[in-house]
Amino acid sequence: MKRAAIRWFVAIVGVCIAMDTIPRERFPVPGFQDWLHRQLDRLGLSQGSWPLFAPNPVLNNGLVVAEVTDRKGDSATWSSIDWAQADPWVKFIRFRHMNYLQRLPRNSIAAGDFADYLLRAIPEREKATPSVRWSVENEMLPPVELDAPMREVRLYHYRDSMVLGEGVAGVDAPLPPQSQTVWSTQIGFLARRPREP
Amino acid sequence: MKAFDRFLFESGNAQILPVLRIGFAILILVQSLVLLPDVAYWFSDQGVLSTQSARRLAGSQKWSMFFLVEGEAWLAYFGVISLFVHGLLLGLGVYSRVQLAAIFLWLVSFQHRMPLIHDGEDTVFRLFAFFLMFLPLDASYSLTGFLSGKPNEQVADEQLWGLRLIQIEMTAIYASTFLSKLAGETWQNGTALWFVSRMNDNYGRLIPSEWFDSHWISQIGSYGTLAIEAFLPIGLWIPRLRWIAIMLGLALHLGIELSMNLFLFEWVMILGLLSFVPSLKPRTVATRRQTVVQE
């Protein structure tokens, strides 16, 4: 009796894992796979397909940047960690932050909440760099400290993309070495949060 | 049916159980310690995602302990400290099944409350916690065994069927990633690792990205990765090829660990690979003869 139960259990779990893990585009009935995934999700047992660096590696290089205005109208800029400059230890202990910032630009609900958080957290918990100001005589003025609470936060994604050659006569251009890789930055708007009265 | 029974009940390796238990416990401890400073930031309404938004992202089918209490930071601290304590008790071998049940509960809760910080490795952690529950992990090198006067209790092969669940999971992962990569242009033309080395966020440890400026290194790495991932789902199940497969899998994961920052992903995968390690018990002449007769 006990053996029979184990046989059934292993067979069912094994088949469910296999079906849930097959890449969606290769599964004959994607609708059934979606249904199965939802049922496994309910149990906390979903696996899903495994697209690590697949079908192609996805570059998430970039920054999340917030433009902040305080209650007097002075502005400042908050910026996420620049992972390209961070050392491996920081990347290890702040790994969750890296995951979060990679996914934030693709999730409008989370982006809105993050802007809300910055509205509450700057300047006490999150540091923002006050913007440079100019006088009427075109002289640089020293930045002023932000005066809480913040009046508005605008959130942007600065995404770095590689500029690759087109190639000639159907032959792909050779990929450039690291030192000669050219990057271009695209700025995408994520969310705006004014302080509610 | 006999073959299936042999597969489930007669071919496990009990020697690997303490390695899996202690290894998994160490990874849980590291996870919880890294989470601890940011608990309120990730899992409470004081942080970056409100409970209301987390519920919207999770949909109706996902559950979490954090959905029971509205955004309170104390519950998040309680959860992470609990995870640490259960991990510690698991490592010591104190009622391991209970610890794993609690770890599973908290991992699901954390992952559903804040999906944006979790990735594939967390899925593996969650499923391993579930599968390990079906193994007699306290049988050796455990405090429970030591206190009950049975420090190294004999485990019957019949009790080791839970290892098969971990092995099936590992096989499914390698097969899935191989099939997904097959469709990718960069994997087909051998430039995938060149692009991986340009991931400024994840890349950057001991292997410099400049190595992949060389086209042939990028090709060897890309095609080598594909070949290993194609071989593992088969090689791990064939007794004669198993050690080769385990070694290739280890080389793959250690190579990634040396070059990329993927937190504990490589280590949990290495733990999964260890579930395939065959028994190292020296076979007696009698059992060897028996095997020959059976063959």
Side-chain angles (χ1 to χ4, degrees):
Chain A
M1 178 64 189
K2 190 182 166 192
R3 276 197 170 202
I6 292 170
R7 278 187 213 115
W8 277 107
F9 178 71
V10 174
I12 291 169
V13 171
V15 169
C16 286
I17 289 174
M19 287 199 292
D20 190 29
T21 315
I22 293 171
R24 196 173 190 279
E25 64 280 5
R26 291 179 186 270
F27 196 81
V29 194
F32 175 73
Q33 195 183 34
D34 294 341
W35 175 85
L36 178 69
H37 187 75
R38 282 197 301 275
Q39 306 316 310
L40 292 172
D41 244 355
R42 282 180 204 274
L43 302 168
L45 296 176
S46 58
Q47 158 69 66
S49 62
W50 196 264
L52 184 69
F53 310 140
N56 291 300
V58 177
L59 270 66
N60 285 308
N61 300 337
L63 295 170
V64 172
V65 173
E67 289 175 1
V68 189
T69 312
D70 73 0
R71 72 184 180 94
K72 289 191 301 192
D74 290 315
S75 61
T77 306
W78 173 94
S79 175
S80 63
I81 295 176
D82 183 359
W83 299 109
Q85 307 300 324
D87 66 60
W89 173 245
V90 172
K91 289 184 181 185
F92 181 80
I93 58 166
R94 309 274 288 176
F95 180 78
R96 299 294 181 190
H97 293 258
M98 193 194 292
N99 267 355
Y100 175 72
L101 292 164
Q102 283 174 356
R103 291 165 174 75
L104 194 69
R106 298 193 296 269
N107 193 311
S108 58
I109 295 174
D113 273 21
F114 188 61
D116 275 334
Y117 164 77
L118 289 178
L119 206 57
R120 299 191 306 268
I122 294 174
E124 280 82 19
R125 281 177 283 161
E126 297 283 347
K127 296 284 168 251
T129 309
S131 303
V132 170
R133 297 176 307 142
W134 300 91
S135 69
V136 182
E137 293 80 29
N138 213 22
E139 287 174 349
M140 195 188 291
L141 300 172
V144 291
E145 289 299 309
L146 290 175
D147 199 357
M150 296 304 109
R151 186 195 295 170
E152 186 184 75
V153 168
R154 287 167 192 257
L155 203 59
Y156 299 90
H157 181 218
Y158 285 45
R159 183 169 184 270
D160 293 337
S161 306
M162 270 190 289
V163 181
L164 297 175
E166 287 285 322
V168 180
V171 179
D172 288 339
L175 294 170
Q178 178 79 305
S179 55
Q180 292 168 25
T181 307
V182 178
W183 297 91
S184 111
T185 303
Q186 291 96 46
I187 302 174
F189 174 75
L190 298 180
R192 173 179 169 268
R193 282 293 190 274
R195 174 165 288 281
E196 286 172 14
Chain B
M1 187 64 80
K2 271 186 184 171
F4 192 46
D5 274 2
R6 254 204 318 277
F7 171 75
L8 286 181
F9 305 120
E10 294 171 24
S11 48
N13 172 18
Q15 292 166 326
I16 208 66
L17 295 185
V19 178
L20 295 182
R21 191 194 78 224
I22 295 168
F24 189 73
I26 290 171
L27 296 181
I28 290 292
L29 292 179
V30 175
Q31 268 217 40
S32 47
L33 286 175
V34 170
L35 273 180
L36 195 57
D38 295 323
V39 166
Y41 184 82
W42 296 131
F43 305 111
S44 80
D45 282 358
Q46 297 166 23
V48 294
L49 189 74
S50 68
T51 310
Q52 197 184 1
S53 298
R55 279 205 191 96
R56 281 176 67 195
L57 291 178
S60 58
Q61 76 270 17
K62 291 184 179 173
W63 55 269
S64 170
M65 307 269 273
F66 297 102
F67 296 159
L68 302 175
V69 182
E70 199 66 29
E72 299 281 352
W74 67 263
L75 181 63
Y77 279 103
F78 178 72
V80 172
I81 291 167
S82 296
L83 192 66
F84 181 85
V85 172
H86 291 301
L88 191 65
L89 293 173
L90 175 69
L92 293 171
V94 179
Y95 299 106
S96 293
R97 289 180 206 266
V98 177
Q99 312 311 332
L100 284 161
I103 288 169
F104 176 74
L105 198 74
W106 282 116
L107 289 181
V108 175
S109 294
F110 286 127
Q111 289 174 29
H112 288 175
R113 171 64 177 80
M114 189 49 180
L116 280 86
I117 64 171
H118 295 101
D119 57 20
E121 78 182 278
D122 299 292
T123 305
V124 180
F125 269 104
R126 173 163 51 77
L127 290 175
F128 276 15
F130 180 74
F131 298 147
L132 286 169
M133 268 190 266
F134 300 101
L135 287 165
L137 294 177
D138 293 342
S140 53
Y141 301 101
S142 73
L143 195 60
T144 313
F146 179 75
L147 293 176
S148 64
K150 297 175 191 166
N152 277 307
E153 203 178 344
Q154 194 71 28
V155 176
D157 277 357
E158 202 176 69
Q159 296 172 277
L160 297 173
W161 56 270
L163 280 174
R164 294 303 188 195
L165 294 172
I166 297 174
Q167 293 168 350
I168 291 168
E169 157 81 358
M170 292 296 293
T171 308
I173 288 174
Y174 289 123
S176 175
T177 191
F178 170 69
L179 289 173
S180 297
K181 281 173 184 153
L182 269 188
E185 190 193 342
T186 57
W187 291 100
Q188 289 167 11
N189 64 22
T191 58
L193 290 203
W194 185 91
F195 284 95
V196 169
S197 71
R198 266 60 177 173
M199 292 177 164
N200 291 338
D201 40 9
N202 292 113
Y203 199 89
R205 270 196 172 168
L206 297 179
I207 299 178
S209 60
E210 285 80 7
W211 282 20
F212 296 96
D213 287 350
S214 157
H215 191 54
W216 65 269
I217 290 184
S218 175
Q219 280 196 321
I220 288 175
S222 304
Y223 293 140
T225 303
L226 267 186
I228 292 174
E229 287 176 349
F231 173 68
L232 290 180
I234 302 157
L236 286 168
W237 292 101
I238 299 173
R240 281 184 189 170
L241 300 177
R242 187 167 296 157
W243 273 112
I244 299 172
I246 291 170
M247 290 303 159
L248 284 173
L250 282 176
L252 174 72
H253 291 297
L254 290 176
I256 300 174
E257 180 65 19
L258 286 176
S259 49
M260 301 197 74
N261 298 280
L262 296 176
F263 196 43
L264 302 174
F265 169 66
E266 306 308 331
W267 299 105
V268 76
M269 292 299 282
I270 286 173
L271 215 55
L273 275 177
L274 293 180
S275 72
F276 285 93
V277 168
S279 176
L280 299 176
K281 271 184 282 188
R283 290 195 299 172
T284 61
V285 176
T287 53
R288 223 174 284 153
R289 260 194 216 133
Q290 213 176 0
T291 314
V292 171
V293 170
Q294 276 173 357
E295 280 171 357

